[in-house]
Each structure stands twice: as structure tokens, then as C-alpha cells.
Amino acid sequence: MPVKIPPEYEKAWNYLCSRKTPATIKQVRKVLLISETHARRALEYFVFAEIADRFQQGSTTFYRVKE
């Protein structure tokens, strides 16, 4: 079943897809010039929709597109 990405999360999704390495919330926020809350909501939505993975390395949380 295809997942419909809300229009307000399109930029975050395109950025996450274009990266070869996982991204943090702060990286997404800085590149897209959006608030940390908006970046967190977008990335958590992708994890909830099962189109992205979340993992922790130390105290830093990373997000990447599922393969």
C-alpha cells in the first residue's frame, strides 16, 4: 500500500531521500530552515508510516529511508 506524504513534509522527505547517509533532526532543521519541532514531526511521521528507520548511536538519533 503506497504511503501518502502530507504536503508539509514533502521537503523533509525529499531531503532524506537525497542523502546517502542517515540524518539527524538538527541536520534536517538546518538545511531546510524549519523549526526543530517541524523536523521532528516529519521524521517521526516517516517512522510511523514505516518508510524510514530510526536508530540511536550514543545519545544521537539518526533517521534513514528504508531500503
Side-chain angles (χ1 to χ4, degrees), residues 22-51:
T24 64
I25 292 171
K26 290 185 180 188
Q27 289 171 332
V28 173
R29 177 190 64 82
K30 188 174 181 181
V31 170
L32 299 179
L33 301 175
I34 57 177
S35 69
E36 188 169 336
T37 303
H38 187 75
R40 182 183 307 275
R41 284 181 185 161
L43 294 173
E44 288 298 328
Y45 174 81
F46 303 147
V47 171
F48 178 75
E50 298 180 354
I51 55 176

Side-chain angles (χ1 to χ4, degrees), residues 13 16 43 46-47 49-54 63-66:
W13 177 248
L16 196 60
L43 294 173
F46 303 147
V47 171
E50 298 180 354
I51 55 176
D53 288 327
R54 174 183 56 217
Y63 296 85
R64 67 176 168 217
V65 177
K66 275 193 178 179

